[in-house]
Amino acid sequence: MPLETPARIVSELASRGYNAEREAVTRIADTRDPSATLERALETLPDEALKLTTDHVESVVKATESAKSEPDTKPNSETETPGAPTQPHPSVSTGTDAPTSTEPGTPAPPETGGSRDVDTSLRAIEVANDMTGQSTGTGEYSDFVSVFRDRYEKLASKLRGRVNHRPTDAIENMGGGSDAALIGMVSDIRSTASGHWLVELEDTNGTFPCLVMKDRPIADLVQQLLMDEVIAVEGTLADDAGILFVDSLYFPDVPRTHSPSTADRHVQAALISDVHVGSQEFMEDAWHRFTDWLHTAEAETVEYLLIAGDMVEGVGIYPEQDEELDIIDIYDQYRAFSEYLKEVPGDMEIRMIPGNHDAVRLAEPQPGFDEELRDIMSAHDAQVHSNPSLVTVEGVTVLMYHGVSLDEVIAELPDEEASYEEPHKAMYQLLKKRHVAPQYGGHTRLAPEDRDYLVMEEVPDVFHTGHVHKLGWGEYHNVVALNSGCWQAQTEFQKSVNIDPDAGFAPILDLDTLDMTVRKFS
């Protein structure tokens, strides 16, 4: 089948045992026939090569172009017109694609469709940190060592300029009473009989105990710590040099001087999550009102739709879920979601990541959908990236993360630091730690890969999550943090755990100013 997106190209390469440079994948995707270009590139690749390089792809493209006696100007009769830009998929189902069933869970064909008067040539979108098709973890002990070492090195690099770091083994050989600083991963936190805090930090050389006295101003920061996050401390060694009395504690954090990027024209993005198609509580009417509004003149500048996971309700996610399903089969749920997606204007660019209800592995990072689901999710050529992914839209970097770790952050930290009623504050903590899921071994399942895809190596301009079904947004060091609510009314399971969802809201972000407007459709 045609390789229409870079993710599909990566997946195809991985299935054949090849890696590729990112620029090589992009170059293939930009050609007239990506599938044919990929085949020619692999046919001419040396037998011993395991990676497809940009130079090799360029040579294949140039050879193909020079071999043509005259340019191919014949338009595709279905999608192209000479001299006209390629149009996105239409937003109305036609022919055999139109739904004919009126059974529960099957939406009716949208009455409004087509594209608005939008100049799509001005658009610019890039994706980084997408590990779809690049999973290497086998679950071996060495894999976990590698990913935690990678986490430590990346986050330690953000702290070394702030303290005069010494490895644990070097500190052990220092004299008592010496000033010392250490960058380490939190391996243990406990309170002493006197109410002080003993924090054990681990680096690549060993572990060292650090004591935070309860009467120090930094004592409150200890209550914000999670296991396995990376911090830096400064202080003085005890007389016997066996423990470090901490005077200062630092997180990797977002610099206070962070200056976010903005678009150079007035353009907006709708940021939503947790649609949950297939649930009896999916708010179909609210969705129709939302998509109807997208066709109005008022929404003319909303050119992007970013969905942060849980497109469908899924199957077997929680006890007795089957009693609350409107659509039993997981593939039928995605078919229904694809039909609902067709109500969105055809000229909108749609990017999505999976969540814990979607049909991918639960362990994070979660890869994008496999080919079967991508075939089903064909509306608008909506692209599905991994969870998390860094999507740059018109120069604005949006870190999209579904948000399962928010449950753990809210459970572990004090209410004033993280709560379901103010989910953006829990997101502030993740920004401070520069990691979307720092704690291993809890409710958030983590998969070992060749590197830690969950580290926030780059400071995003916008941090977009979902999962907790609560609406909240704010700014942390000039980063917009948004949890976008959901499109599912309260389920019986949510009642049992006292979750009152914020449903039917669509946050609209001005990419040129980073101002937020939240519209209610419920």
Side-chain angles (χ1 to χ4, degrees):
M1 65 173 297
L3 300 174
E4 297 172 348
T5 66
R8 293 188 180 186
I9 294 170
V10 170
S11 179
E12 181 68 14
L13 284 167
S15 69
R16 302 191 190 191
Y18 292 100
N19 289 322
E21 295 176 352
R22 184 180 298 275
E23 293 80 5
V25 173
T26 302
R27 185 68 182 94
I28 293 172
D30 287 341
T31 60
R32 185 180 182 84
D33 188 346
S35 182
T37 303
L38 177 59
E39 290 299 329
R40 286 192 293 271
L42 293 181
E43 288 172 1
T44 55
L45 198 64
D47 292 339
E48 68 277 8
L50 295 176
K51 177 179 283 188
L52 194 60
T53 66
T54 306
D55 289 343
H56 179 70
V57 172
E58 285 291 352
S59 66
V60 169
V61 173
K62 290 179 180 178
T64 302
E65 291 175 348
S66 63
K68 295 179 180 180
S69 58
E70 55 185 56
D72 181 7
T73 59
K74 182 180 179 180
N76 182 305
S77 60
E78 294 181 355
T79 61
E80 295 182 26
T81 303
T86 302
Q87 297 298 311
H89 293 317
S91 58
V92 180
S93 299
T94 59
T96 57
D97 290 333
T100 57
S101 171
T102 57
E103 295 177 358
T106 304
E111 296 179 358
T112 58
S115 300
R116 304 161 300 174
D117 185 16
V118 174
D119 185 356
T120 59
S121 66
L122 297 175
R123 289 179 177 166
I125 190 162
E126 298 176 356
V127 180
N129 204 49
D130 187 348
M131 54 78 62
T132 303
Q134 302 187 53
S135 179
T136 61
T138 62
E140 297 291 333
Y141 175 77
S142 58
D143 292 337
F144 286 94
V145 172
S146 295
V147 76
F148 278 103
R149 184 181 293 271
D150 183 65
R151 173 191 299 193
Y152 175 79
E153 292 298 338
K154 286 175 177 174
L155 294 178
S157 69
K158 303 183 185 306
L159 290 161
R160 287 196 176 98
R162 305 172 69 178
V163 298
N164 187 21
H165 165 70
R166 292 287 184 272
T168 51
D169 54 351
I171 292 177
E172 289 173 351
N173 295 322
M174 295 174 65
S178 300
D179 292 336
L182 170 65
I183 298 174
M185 185 176 292
V186 177
S187 62
D188 191 23
I189 309 170
R190 59 185 184 274
S191 60
T192 68
S194 302
H196 306 305
W197 292 102
L198 189 62
V199 181
E200 191 167 87
L201 296 182
E202 179 179 5
D203 66 6
T204 54
N205 291 5
T207 60
F208 201 85
C210 304
L211 188 69
V212 180
M213 306 297 287
K214 63 182 179 182
D215 57 348
R216 300 304 300 265
I218 62 171
D220 289 343
L221 296 180
V222 177
Q223 298 184 59
Q224 298 179 26
L225 294 179
L226 293 175
M227 299 293 289
D228 307 311
E229 70 171 295
V230 178
I231 61 171
V233 294
E234 287 180 315
T236 305
L237 290 172
D239 291 342
D240 62 358
I243 196 169
L244 178 69
F245 291 100
V246 179
D247 298 321
S248 303
L249 187 154
Y250 305 95
F251 296 92
D253 220 332
V254 174
R256 292 183 180 275
T257 56
H258 172 65
S259 179
S261 299
T262 56
D264 57 8
R265 66 188 181 101
H266 180 55
V267 61
Q268 297 175 306
L271 279 59
I272 67 171
S273 65
D274 297 272
V275 185
H276 289 276
V277 171
S279 166
Q280 292 176 357
E281 303 301 332
F282 166 57
M283 300 175 67
E284 181 180 19
D285 289 343
W287 178 265
H288 291 327
R289 284 190 286 271
F290 169 53
T291 56
D292 286 346
W293 176 77
L294 289 175
H295 286 274
T296 66
E298 188 178 22
E300 186 75 24
T301 56
V302 183
E303 298 185 19
Y304 299 92
L305 176 62
L306 307 181
I307 306 178
D310 282 1
M311 281 73 85
V312 301
E313 173 64 4
V315 178
I317 307 299
Y318 57 85
E320 299 181 351
Q321 183 192 24
D322 56 319
E323 297 180 5
E324 300 182 15
L325 290 177
D326 194 41
I327 306 174
I328 302 297
D329 183 86
I330 185 67
Y331 294 102
D332 287 342
Q333 290 182 11
Y334 281 106
R335 291 185 184 96
F337 175 77
S338 187
E339 293 300 324
Y340 283 114
L341 208 59
K342 290 177 182 178
E343 299 176 23
V344 173
D347 49 30
M348 288 189 70
E349 181 81 23
I350 303 175
R351 300 299 173 108
M352 303 180 286
I353 62 170
N356 61 306
H357 280 246
D358 286 303
V360 296
R361 75 183 186 192
L362 284 176
E364 299 176 1
Q366 294 175 290
F369 294 159
D370 60 22
E371 286 299 320
E372 187 171 2
L373 285 182
R374 288 176 188 272
D375 291 344
I376 293 173
M377 302 276 290
S378 59
H380 299 311
D381 194 25
Q383 298 191 39
V384 185
H385 307 294
S386 65
N387 172 38
S389 281
L390 193 66
V391 180
T392 301
V393 184
E394 308 254 351
V396 178
T397 57
V398 182
L399 176 57
M400 297 179 66
Y401 171 59
H402 180 58
V404 168
S405 71
L406 294 175
D407 287 330
E408 207 144 32
V409 173
I410 291 170
E412 295 283 345
L413 301 189
D415 289 344
E416 61 269 20
E417 302 294 345
S419 70
Y420 285 110
E421 293 306 312
E422 295 181 296
H424 53 291
K425 289 188 176 180
M427 297 171 67
Y428 295 170
Q429 290 293 325
L430 298 181
L431 287 165
K432 181 182 291 188
K433 301 171 192 307
R434 294 291 289 273
H435 199 283
V436 300
Q439 184 159 289
Y440 174 77
H443 295 296
T444 307
R445 303 181 188 183
L446 303 179
E449 296 292 347
D450 59 345
R451 63 184 181 88
D452 192 345
Y453 288 89
L454 308 180
V455 173
M456 298 185 198
E457 294 187 73
E458 178 181 343
V459 178
D461 301 315
V462 179
F463 186 19
H464 175 204
T465 66
H467 180 65
V468 297
H469 290 210
K470 300 297 291 185
L471 178 66
W473 74 96
E475 284 192 9
Y476 177 79
H477 294 185
N478 296 322
V479 176
V480 175
L482 165 72
N483 192 285
S484 49
C486 64
W487 296 83
Q488 180 187 40
Q490 189 179 45
T491 65
E492 289 300 320
F493 174 75
Q494 289 171 338
K495 289 179 184 177
S496 70
V497 293
N498 200 30
I499 294 177
D500 185 15
D502 295 326
F505 293 91
I508 308 297
L509 178 70
D510 290 350
L511 295 175
D512 53 332
T513 63
L514 300 188
D515 292 334
M516 189 83 69
T517 302
V518 176
R519 295 186 172 272
K520 184 177 181 180
F521 296 97
S522 56

